[in-house]
Amino acid sequence: TRSAPDHGPSMAIRRLTEFRQRQELVVVGEGLSNRERILTDARGNPVPFVHVKNTSAAGGDGTFERPYDLLASVNGGGSNPGDTIVVHGGDGTTTGYDQGVSLKDNQTLIGGQLLGMFTFGGQVVWSKIDLGRPTITNVNAGNVVTLANNNLIQGLDISGSTSDGTVVGDQFVNGHGIFGNGVSGVRIVDVNVTGTDANGLLLDNVTGSVVIDRFACSAAGQIMHAADTVDCADIQSATSGNLSIAIRNSSFTATDGDGLEVTSRTVDGTTVLSVRDSLFSGNTETGMTLQNDSFANLFDITVSNVTAVDNGRNGLAVSGFAGSNRVDITITDSTVVGNGFSAGISQQAGGIFV
């Protein structure tokens, strides 16, 4: 049973995380009424969540009262598809948060400093809870966060990662800050990634929608690598299907490679990329490398209010391979200066450019 609701603001906020019998998210529709309601998913089921706090006693069950003390506890049977995983700031260190995490379909991974707007179960929630902002890593050979389909990562920091140096093709097989292969529906919001052995973010064979907002990546590529294998962020479409990428309010800096590399490889779809209000600076290679790697598709690129400065090669390089592929690119209100190549913006060989 539940006691009579206290409609005061402090109680409403606290109940976003205090759940005693059931893992439910309780919100208050302040703009419509003062009545409590249970936040539910599209099927009407309560949105479940799991808590992790590294200062908790071992043997917790993931509830607010008894959080897991290890982030890795949510792997395997410690969480279910669709869960919202709340990582508390804890003691401010990566203790207990240093083994990486593998998400399941439709899961949300958020830091405990729940300040602002969040989407749970397809609904928007306003929160002012402050349980501390966590920092996570992986001291083993692996990725810090491995994605599944339709994941949201929000409000946390990733510091360092560990790769064993194995390379397949032109990519490290591990050591990435955030990694997804063959996934669809990725949202990364208010996440800082720094000092990873391999890419800060690697999305390979991705389809659907990718949204990156308030993402700061720096100093990726901390170990020796073959040419062009490590970038702050590397996004590659699948060879079939459509991909939409929106990057805004983000920075890609001081990496031993490109700040951002986006490759369209689909042969039967369209890749649409929008980059705005973002910084690309101090990268060893190019600020942004955008390439159409297919012989038949359209790569539609919009760049707005972007600054690309002090990169070792170009500020922006765009390329298309021979064939009937097409690259449509629009650049507005952007600054590309002080990069290693005098052109700053380089249109490389091949394809049809508009």
Side-chain angles (χ1 to χ4, degrees), residues 42-326:
R43 297 181 178 180
N45 299 314
V47 175
F49 72 96
V50 176
H51 283 277
V52 185
K53 184 178 182 182
N54 65 1
T55 56
S56 297
D61 57 9
T63 61
F64 180 79
E65 292 77 22
R66 300 181 61 233
Y68 292 132
D69 63 322
L70 304 176
L71 179 57
S73 296
V74 306
N75 298 332
S79 67
N80 298 306
D83 284 354
T84 294
I85 300 165
V86 181
V87 186
H88 298 222
D91 63 5
T93 74
T94 59
T95 299
Y97 302 159
D98 59 359
Q99 305 295 310
V101 58
S102 294
L103 300 180
K104 303 175 180 69
D105 287 351
N106 304 307
Q107 284 191 334
T108 295
L109 177 68
I110 58 174
Q113 196 173 46
L114 306 178
L115 306 175
M117 303 294 286
F118 294 84
T119 301
F120 296 95
Q123 300 184 62
V124 177
V125 175
W126 174 258
S127 170
K128 294 183 179 179
I129 298 170
D130 191 352
L131 303 175
R133 185 182 179 98
T135 300
I136 66 176
T137 189
N138 193 345
V139 296
N140 301 313
N143 307 305
V144 182
V145 180
T146 300
L147 300 173
N149 294 304
N150 302 313
N151 291 149
L152 165 65
I153 306 173
Q154 183 163 353
L156 53 83
D157 299 330
I158 295 174
S159 179
S161 64
T162 306
S163 173
D164 62 10
T166 302
V167 174
V168 174
D170 64 350
Q171 295 287 358
F172 281 116
V173 300
N174 51 41
H176 308 289
I178 302 172
F179 172 77
N181 184 18
V183 300
S184 177
V186 176
R187 287 186 295 153
I188 301 170
V189 181
D190 185 23
V191 173
N192 302 319
V193 179
T194 185
T196 53
D197 272 2
N199 301 78
L201 167 66
L202 175 60
L203 301 178
D204 196 12
N205 297 309
V206 64
T207 58
S209 173
V210 173
V211 176
I212 298 172
D213 188 9
R214 288 174 286 143
F215 176 73
C217 178
S218 64
Q222 293 295 302
I223 64 173
M224 296 295 292
H225 60 87
D228 301 323
T229 60
V230 175
D231 306 306
C232 241
D234 189 342
I235 304 173
Q236 302 185 24
S237 79
T239 56
S240 179
N242 297 319
L243 174 61
S244 172
I245 306 168
I247 299 173
R248 53 185 178 258
N249 307 310
S250 297
S251 62
F252 305 80
T253 61
T255 286
D256 191 13
D258 294 338
L260 169 68
E261 181 175 323
V262 178
T263 304
S264 178
R265 302 186 301 189
T266 179
V267 298
D268 59 6
T270 298
T271 299
V272 178
L273 169 67
S274 172
V275 184
R276 63 178 176 87
D277 305 318
S278 296
L279 172 68
F280 302 84
S281 176
N283 299 291
T284 300
E285 297 182 9
T286 295
M288 281 189 288
T289 295
L290 313 176
Q291 53 192 8
N292 195 340
D293 222 353
S294 166
F295 281 83
N297 80 313
L298 170 65
F299 191 4
D300 189 341
I301 303 166
T302 301
V303 176
S304 177
N305 195 28
V306 162
T307 299
V309 298
D310 299 327
N311 298 287
R313 295 184 180 177
N314 295 293
L316 169 62
V318 183
S319 66
F321 284 78
S324 61
N325 69 16
R326 174 170 163 171

